[in-house]
Amino acid sequence: MNEYSFIKGSGVHADSKEVVINSTKAKTGEKYRRILEAAVSVFARKGFHHSTISQIAREAGVADGTIYLYFKNKDDILVQFLNYKTKQVFSGFRESVNKADNSIDKLRNLVHRHLEEFQRDRNMAVVYQALAHQNHKSIQEHIREMSKMYLDIVGEIVERGQEEGTMRRDLYLGLVKRFILGAVESTINNWVRSRREYDLVSMADPLIDLFIRGIGNPETNSTAAERSVP
Amino acid sequence: MNEYSFIKGSGVHADSKEVVINSTKAKTGEKYRRILEAAVSVFARKGFHHSTISQIAREAGVADGTIYLYFKNKDDILVQFLNYKTKQVFSGFRESVNKADNSIDKLRNLVHRHLEEFQRDRNMAVVYQALAHQNHKSIQEHIREMSKMYLDIVGEIVERGQEEGTMRRDLYLGLVKRFILGAVESTINNWVRSRREYDLVSMADPLIDLFIRGIGNPETNSTAAERSVP
Amino acid sequence: MNEYSFIKGSGVHADSKEVVINSTKAKTGEKYRRILEAAVSVFARKGFHHSTISQIAREAGVADGTIYLYFKNKDDILVQFLNYKTKQVFSGFRESVNKADNSIDKLRNLVHRHLEEFQRDRNMAVVYQALAHQNHKSIQEHIREMSKMYLDIVGEIVERGQEEGTMRRDLYLGLVKRFILGAVESTINNWVRSRREYDLVSMADPLIDLFIRGIGNPETNSTAAERSVP
Amino acid sequence: MNEYSFIKGSGVHADSKEVVINSTKAKTGEKYRRILEAAVSVFARKGFHHSTISQIAREAGVADGTIYLYFKNKDDILVQFLNYKTKQVFSGFRESVNKADNSIDKLRNLVHRHLEEFQRDRNMAVVYQALAHQNHKSIQEHIREMSKMYLDIVGEIVERGQEEGTMRRDLYLGLVKRFILGAVESTINNWVRSRREYDLVSMADPLIDLFIRGIGNPETNSTAAERSVP
DNA sequence: AATGAATGAGCGTTCATTCAT
DNA sequence: GATGAATGAACGCTCATTCAT
């Protein structure tokens, strides 16, 4: 848990008929955040299904029932997590991309920021990784949405790179986008599972290098290109 | 589910004290396999935690109690799944690699076979994807082991490629290995989650192309290389 | 809900130790009544156990906690309902009875007024019906008391009718009283449960006719009398 | 609880997908009945909402979970109660009616049997009374159905009485039917709530007498008739 | 007096696991 | 070996009640 975690915003869940939290009360917002942080921390340690409301409540320093003043049910905690925390992180990526003025630097900024944010909040990283690979019904759509946002950014970067002439024109764009997201995510996944602690952000440049140049030796090898999808 | 699924091998779980199934009995082995197939099918549909022993038993056409003659507990089904099904698939990769005589073709064969096996058994793909990204205690070690096996193969291939001169020498080998596994797995993950049905195996060549050549235009771009880890 | 509902009287619950509301304060009395009306309305719709304090508070336009300034607890709302609303209605019956000067008209007035009052406040009717047939501990005694009041009135009327000579002398008085109350209540119960809307009060005269003359044809039938209790 | 309680029939609830009880097993049927008896006994004492599954299980001598092998949920116990116990009792009424050959004796038999059955199983009486006057959703329709069955029987009897000439022709049939049911039910209700123990069945003849002859003195009184619905 | 956020006891329900047959 | 009825621990969730403001 750290000071950067979670937005300052309100602890309101809009679609509840019974419970509406007054978002102007500082205390309320604080409790909302405490619960969410606690929940993500417990989820990260035990996994969603092995986490109990009581554990979360204890870790947040509130009563079990209090959680239901801020969240519709256990699943809703996950939904809020994606809505307020992860979604914010992801949408921040665009900002980083805009700071660069050529496509390769944009890609570098994107990946750098991505790794940075997830390193900053390891619990988020753990939970996000698990969610993204599961069939959790109430979550599926959110994940898809966030992926799309990310893939769109990458797509724009690559297309721009092709216009700039810094990226190959014979790319299967749909694959490339997923390829890059997948590679970054798996890098995060490795970091999360690793017993050793290492600096995740330092992986950014080597990753970019692999994206751009591949692993092949351009002087000797051209076979792959010949078989590639045009 | 298909004829290739699961090995014919014994239905023994080694670390059980009470129950040891005679692996020579055809009938026994068949029931063991039926249960395992049913379990994976149910897991794929509902997720591990939302699957019940009763559902698995019904789908396997046996009584609930029977499952405990072949598996220590619910978790053990997952362990057996990794031990006997996935592990076998993974170890089969080496075989494919050996059929090629240069590193790039070896890599191609590996990826091709990987996609092929997972396409052949979609349930396995779904369950494996979910497991690989979770903190499931009794599974963690198995996943790590299988990853290592895969990474070792890739590592050998890349090192050979470097000797051959077909692959760059300035590669961060630890990263490259994970990069390739991650990219392949995310390709599978996309296929699994996609609403459209498409041919997973056809992704192999474009993927290889990306690995080898990257997305950069070699004529104009060399920035990435300069910043890369030596 | 209508203007006749509930008495204007005090919002005091006598047996409370902590909170005594000043019954002279118009505003207080009004809030007390608002809560009671809201409660009965919610009880009628959802049943006592499925009604929550929050729902009642919302419908009354007050905060949850406010209810506890006027009522000891949830059960107490029921007690107050019987004490102040239903009890008043029931005791008003005597008044109607007194307006008539012969026993049959007295009975008619009683039944007429009974149906009238319950038709006037359907929520009261619904809640009363439910309470009268349940084993609700804190209510039992109140119900019994009100029944007794009613049965006493009927008893007096019938005894007077016997003196007048307009009613049979060979009646099992205890049964007759309950018989009449039961028949009226079941008429109300039918009205309350009916999907069609109809005029409850118009049932009064046919009911009286049945009480007085029975369903038998006096010219041909005397069997029943012979077997009756003397 | 007594030996007459509940049918010998199967303990199957048809609409469950997961749980199907083998009705051929004597033991199963016995446990089903034990639970149902226990439930009705607890409901009678505490009321449905204050009864807990644990109490019922304890009283039935089974584990909490066992109840869910025979009943879908707590509400379903009520539904089964009506379906198998009360419904059977009610449908038995027709049989008694058929034994008599004139309408008044038919009515007498009906009432007699009605009181007899409810006296035989006091718990059933208590629970039925409560249910019949509540807005319990999953029960409403069953109650209505049983009432209709009863009212139909009474209606047929009265119409026959009118043909025989033993019952008045100027009756509001719809009211008469409900009047009789209401009077009998309220007699039962009184018995159930009474502190003294008395013989419910002995109320049958006096009741019939009231139905047939009314309370009026036919020699002196005819007012009621003049105002009655033709 | 009025508020409504916070509490936590209590309950219905699920389901992995056991074991008598 | 095979069965499936029985078990009971465990958990999510509700809601009457309290109390600081």
Side-chain angles (χ1 to χ4, degrees):
Chain A
M1 238 15 58
N2 65 61
E3 56 175 321
Y4 301 105
S5 297
F6 292 125
I7 54 172
K8 299 237 156 60
S10 88
V12 185
H13 49 97
D15 48 347
S16 166
K17 281 160 300 189
E18 303 283 338
V19 187
V20 175
I21 309 295
N22 184 348
S23 63
T24 60
K25 274 201 183 176
K27 207 185 169 196
T28 292
E30 195 240 333
K31 199 159 280 186
Y32 170 78
R33 234 177 293 125
R34 278 222 318 271
I35 294 171
L36 205 39
E37 294 287 356
V40 175
S41 160
V42 176
F43 292 165
R45 252 180 298 128
K46 315 238 185 184
F48 180 74
H49 281 285
H50 288 121
S51 304
T52 69
I53 293 292
S54 287
Q55 284 165 5
I56 296 169
R58 201 177 316 126
E59 188 145 335
V62 299
D64 290 22
T66 304
I67 290 180
Y68 292 87
L69 298 176
Y70 297 90
F71 301 91
K72 253 191 333 240
N73 50 42
K74 200 183 164 193
D75 268 32
D76 190 45
I77 303 179
L78 238 37
V79 173
Q80 302 274 341
F81 162 72
L82 289 181
N83 266 344
Y84 292 104
K85 177 148 193 175
T86 317
K87 194 170 278 184
Q88 191 210 217
V89 164
F90 268 57
S91 66
F93 292 165
R94 190 140 236 141
E95 184 193 323
S96 284
V97 169
N98 289 338
K99 287 190 184 140
D101 53 11
N102 69 73
S103 61
I104 289 181
D105 283 345
K106 278 175 190 291
L107 190 58
R108 189 185 321 278
N109 280 4
L110 174 64
V111 173
H112 197 277
R113 173 76 172 264
H114 192 162
L115 298 178
E116 201 171 48
E117 295 282 6
F118 277 65
Q119 174 161 261
R120 182 177 283 162
D121 191 341
R122 193 181 173 280
N123 288 333
M124 174 183 76
V126 173
V127 175
Y128 181 78
Q129 286 295 321
L131 289 182
H133 297 269
Q134 255 173 313
N135 271 323
H136 206 108
K137 225 190 146 195
S138 51
I139 288 298
Q140 203 82 315
E141 198 42 52
H142 291 266
I143 294 285
R144 208 185 284 277
E145 205 182 315
M146 283 164 47
S147 288
K148 189 173 180 329
M149 179 193 318
Y150 198 92
L151 295 175
D152 285 349
I153 297 177
V154 177
E156 290 166 24
I157 294 175
V158 173
E159 283 178 336
R160 181 181 175 132
Q162 291 176 322
E163 287 166 19
E164 284 175 359
T166 51
M167 291 184 188
R168 292 164 47 198
R169 292 197 169 274
D170 60 339
L171 292 172
Y172 182 165
L173 193 57
L175 181 67
V176 168
K177 296 189 301 188
R178 296 174 190 283
F179 168 80
I180 289 175
L181 174 56
V184 176
E185 284 189 351
S186 83
T187 302
I188 293 170
N189 196 34
N190 282 318
W191 174 76
V192 151
R193 290 177 199 292
S194 174
R195 285 129 167 172
R196 301 172 300 112
E197 300 229 346
Y198 59 88
D199 184 37
L200 177 59
V201 178
S202 71
M203 296 288 114
D205 281 329
L207 254 184
I208 294 294
D209 178 57
L210 287 177
F211 291 155
I212 301 298
R213 302 205 295 161
I215 62 174
N217 183 351
E219 291 168 25
T220 65
N221 191 284
S222 58
T223 333
E226 286 155 20
R227 301 201 196 178
S228 76
V229 170
Chain B
M1 234 18 55
N2 62 63
E3 57 176 319
Y4 301 105
S5 297
F6 290 121
I7 55 172
K8 297 238 158 59
S10 88
V12 184
H13 46 97
D15 45 350
S16 165
K17 284 154 291 187
E18 304 107 291
V19 188
V20 176
I21 309 294
N22 183 347
S23 64
T24 59
K25 273 195 185 172
K27 206 186 168 196
T28 292
E30 195 241 334
K31 200 162 278 190
Y32 170 79
R33 233 176 298 124
R34 279 224 316 273
I35 294 170
L36 207 40
E37 295 286 356
V40 175
S41 161
V42 176
F43 292 164
R45 256 181 294 125
K46 315 231 185 190
F48 179 73
H49 281 285
H50 290 121
S51 305
T52 68
I53 294 290
S54 286
Q55 285 164 5
I56 295 168
R58 202 177 317 131
E59 189 146 332
V62 300
D64 291 21
T66 305
I67 290 182
Y68 289 85
L69 299 175
Y70 295 89
F71 300 89
K72 230 178 10 203
N73 51 39
K74 199 182 165 193
D75 269 29
D76 190 43
I77 303 179
L78 238 36
V79 173
Q80 302 275 342
F81 162 72
L82 288 181
N83 267 344
Y84 292 104
K85 175 148 194 175
T86 316
K87 194 170 279 184
Q88 191 212 214
V89 164
F90 269 58
S91 66
F93 293 164
R94 190 141 236 138
E95 182 191 324
S96 283
V97 169
N98 289 339
K99 286 184 184 149
D101 54 9
N102 68 74
S103 61
I104 289 181
D105 283 343
K106 280 175 188 291
L107 189 58
R108 190 186 323 279
N109 280 5
L110 174 64
V111 172
H112 198 278
R113 173 75 173 266
H114 193 163
L115 298 178
E116 202 170 49
E117 295 282 6
F118 277 66
Q119 175 163 261
R120 180 177 285 163
D121 191 341
R122 193 180 174 282
N123 289 333
M124 174 184 75
V126 173
V127 175
Y128 180 79
Q129 285 296 322
L131 289 181
H133 297 267
Q134 256 174 316
N135 267 325
H136 208 109
K137 228 189 143 193
S138 50
I139 287 300
Q140 203 80 315
E141 200 42 51
H142 292 264
I143 294 285
R144 207 185 289 276
E145 205 181 316
M146 284 163 48
S147 288
K148 188 169 180 333
M149 179 192 318
Y150 197 92
L151 295 175
D152 285 349
I153 296 176
V154 177
E156 289 167 23
I157 293 174
V158 173
E159 283 178 337
R160 182 182 177 131
Q162 291 176 324
E163 287 168 18
E164 284 174 359
T166 53
M167 291 184 191
R168 291 164 50 199
R169 292 198 168 273
D170 60 340
L171 292 172
Y172 182 165
L173 192 58
L175 181 66
V176 167
K177 297 189 298 189
R178 295 174 191 284
F179 169 82
I180 289 175
L181 174 55
V184 175
E185 285 189 350
S186 84
T187 302
I188 294 171
N189 196 34
N190 282 318
W191 175 76
V192 152
R193 289 178 198 293
S194 175
R195 286 129 167 172
R196 301 173 299 113
E197 299 229 344
Y198 59 90
D199 183 37
L200 178 58
V201 178
S202 71
M203 297 288 114
D205 281 330
L207 254 186
I208 295 293
D209 176 58
L210 288 177
F211 291 155
I212 301 298
R213 302 204 297 158
I215 62 175
N217 183 347
E219 293 167 24
T220 67
N221 193 287
S222 58
T223 334
E226 285 156 20
R227 301 200 196 176
S228 74
V229 170
Chain C
M1 254 343 85
N2 62 60
E3 57 176 319
Y4 302 104
S5 299
F6 292 121
I7 55 171
K8 298 239 156 59
S10 90
V12 185
H13 46 96
D15 48 348
S16 165
K17 283 155 293 187
E18 304 107 292
V19 189
V20 175
I21 310 293
N22 184 346
S23 63
T24 60
K25 271 197 186 173
K27 207 188 167 194
T28 292
E30 195 241 335
K31 200 162 277 186
Y32 170 78
R33 233 176 295 124
R34 278 223 320 271
I35 294 171
L36 206 41
E37 294 286 357
V40 175
S41 160
V42 176
F43 292 164
R45 255 182 294 127
K46 316 232 184 186
F48 181 73
H49 281 286
H50 290 120
S51 304
T52 68
I53 293 290
S54 285
Q55 284 164 5
I56 295 168
R58 202 178 315 128
E59 189 145 331
V62 300
D64 291 22
T66 305
I67 290 181
Y68 289 85
L69 299 174
Y70 295 90
F71 301 90
K72 233 175 11 199
N73 52 40
K74 198 183 167 192
D75 269 29
D76 190 43
I77 303 179
L78 238 37
V79 173
Q80 301 275 343
F81 163 72
L82 288 181
N83 266 345
Y84 292 104
K85 174 148 195 174
T86 316
K87 193 171 278 184
Q88 192 213 214
V89 165
F90 268 59
S91 66
F93 294 164
R94 191 140 235 139
E95 184 191 326
S96 284
V97 169
N98 290 339
K99 286 188 185 146
D101 52 10
N102 68 73
S103 62
I104 289 182
D105 283 345
K106 278 176 188 293
L107 189 58
R108 190 186 320 280
N109 280 5
L110 174 63
V111 173
H112 198 279
R113 174 72 173 267
H114 193 163
L115 298 179
E116 202 170 48
E117 295 282 6
F118 278 65
Q119 175 161 260
R120 183 176 282 161
D121 192 342
R122 193 181 175 280
N123 288 334
M124 174 184 75
V126 173
V127 175
Y128 181 79
Q129 286 295 322
L131 289 181
H133 297 267
Q134 255 173 314
N135 268 325
H136 206 108
K137 225 191 145 195
S138 52
I139 287 299
Q140 203 81 315
E141 198 43 51
H142 291 265
I143 293 284
R144 206 186 287 277
E145 204 181 317
M146 284 163 48
S147 287
K148 187 169 181 335
M149 180 193 317
Y150 196 92
L151 295 176
D152 286 348
I153 297 177
V154 178
E156 291 167 23
I157 293 175
V158 172
E159 284 177 337
R160 182 183 176 129
Q162 291 176 323
E163 288 167 18
E164 283 174 1
T166 52
M167 291 184 189
R168 291 165 46 199
R169 291 196 169 277
D170 60 339
L171 293 171
Y172 182 165
L173 193 57
L175 181 66
V176 168
K177 296 188 301 188
R178 294 173 192 283
F179 168 80
I180 289 174
L181 175 56
V184 175
E185 284 189 350
S186 85
T187 302
I188 294 170
N189 196 34
N190 282 318
W191 174 75
V192 152
R193 286 174 203 295
S194 175
R195 285 127 166 174
R196 301 173 300 113
E197 299 229 345
Y198 59 88
D199 184 37
L200 178 58
V201 178
S202 70
M203 297 287 114
D205 282 329
L207 253 185
I208 295 294
D209 178 57
L210 288 177
F211 291 156
I212 302 298
R213 302 205 295 157
I215 62 174
N217 184 349
E219 292 166 25
T220 65
N221 192 286
S222 59
T223 332
E226 286 154 19
R227 303 200 194 176
S228 76
V229 169
Chain D
M1 235 24 52
N2 64 63
E3 59 175 318
Y4 302 104
S5 297
F6 292 121
I7 55 171
K8 300 238 155 62
S10 88
V12 184
H13 49 99
D15 49 346
S16 166
K17 283 160 299 188
E18 303 284 337
V19 187
V20 176
I21 308 296
N22 184 349
S23 62
T24 59
K25 275 201 182 175
K27 209 186 166 194
T28 292
E30 195 240 335
K31 200 159 280 187
Y32 170 80
R33 235 176 293 124
R34 277 220 322 270
I35 295 170
L36 206 39
E37 294 287 357
V40 174
S41 159
V42 176
F43 292 164
R45 253 181 297 127
K46 315 237 186 186
F48 180 74
H49 281 286
H50 289 121
S51 304
T52 70
I53 292 291
S54 288
Q55 283 165 5
I56 295 168
R58 203 177 316 126
E59 189 146 333
V62 300
D64 290 21
T66 305
I67 290 182
Y68 291 87
L69 297 176
Y70 296 91
F71 301 90
K72 250 190 334 236
N73 51 39
K74 200 182 164 194
D75 269 32
D76 190 44
I77 304 180
L78 237 37
V79 173
Q80 302 274 343
F81 162 71
L82 288 181
N83 267 345
Y84 290 106
K85 177 148 194 177
T86 316
K87 195 171 278 183
Q88 191 210 215
V89 165
F90 268 59
S91 67
F93 293 165
R94 191 142 236 140
E95 183 192 323
S96 284
V97 169
N98 289 339
K99 286 187 185 145
D101 52 11
N102 69 73
S103 60
I104 289 180
D105 282 345
K106 279 176 188 292
L107 189 59
R108 191 186 319 280
N109 281 3
L110 174 63
V111 172
H112 198 277
R113 173 75 173 266
H114 192 162
L115 298 179
E116 202 171 48
E117 295 281 8
F118 277 65
Q119 174 162 260
R120 181 176 285 162
D121 191 341
R122 192 180 174 280
N123 288 333
M124 174 184 77
V126 174
V127 175
Y128 181 77
Q129 285 297 321
L131 288 182
H133 296 270
Q134 256 174 314
N135 271 322
H136 206 108
K137 227 190 144 193
S138 51
I139 288 298
Q140 202 81 316
E141 199 43 51
H142 290 266
I143 293 285
R144 209 185 284 277
E145 205 182 316
M146 284 163 47
S147 288
K148 189 173 179 330
M149 180 194 315
Y150 197 91
L151 295 175
D152 285 348
I153 297 178
V154 177
E156 290 167 23
I157 294 175
V158 173
E159 284 178 337
R160 181 182 175 129
Q162 291 176 323
E163 288 166 18
E164 285 174 358
T166 53
M167 291 183 190
R168 290 164 52 198
R169 292 198 170 274
D170 60 339
L171 293 171
Y172 182 165
L173 193 58
L175 181 67
V176 168
K177 297 188 302 190
R178 294 174 191 284
F179 169 82
I180 290 175
L181 174 55
V184 175
E185 284 189 352
S186 83
T187 302
I188 293 170
N189 196 34
N190 282 318
W191 174 75
V192 150
R193 282 170 208 297
S194 174
R195 286 128 166 173
R196 301 174 299 114
E197 298 230 345
Y198 59 89
D199 183 36
L200 178 59
V201 178
S202 71
M203 296 288 113
D205 281 330
L207 253 186
I208 294 294
D209 178 56
L210 287 178
F211 291 155
I212 302 298
R213 301 204 297 157
I215 62 175
N217 182 348
E219 292 167 24
T220 65
N221 193 286
S222 58
T223 334
E226 284 155 21
R227 303 201 195 177
S228 75
V229 170

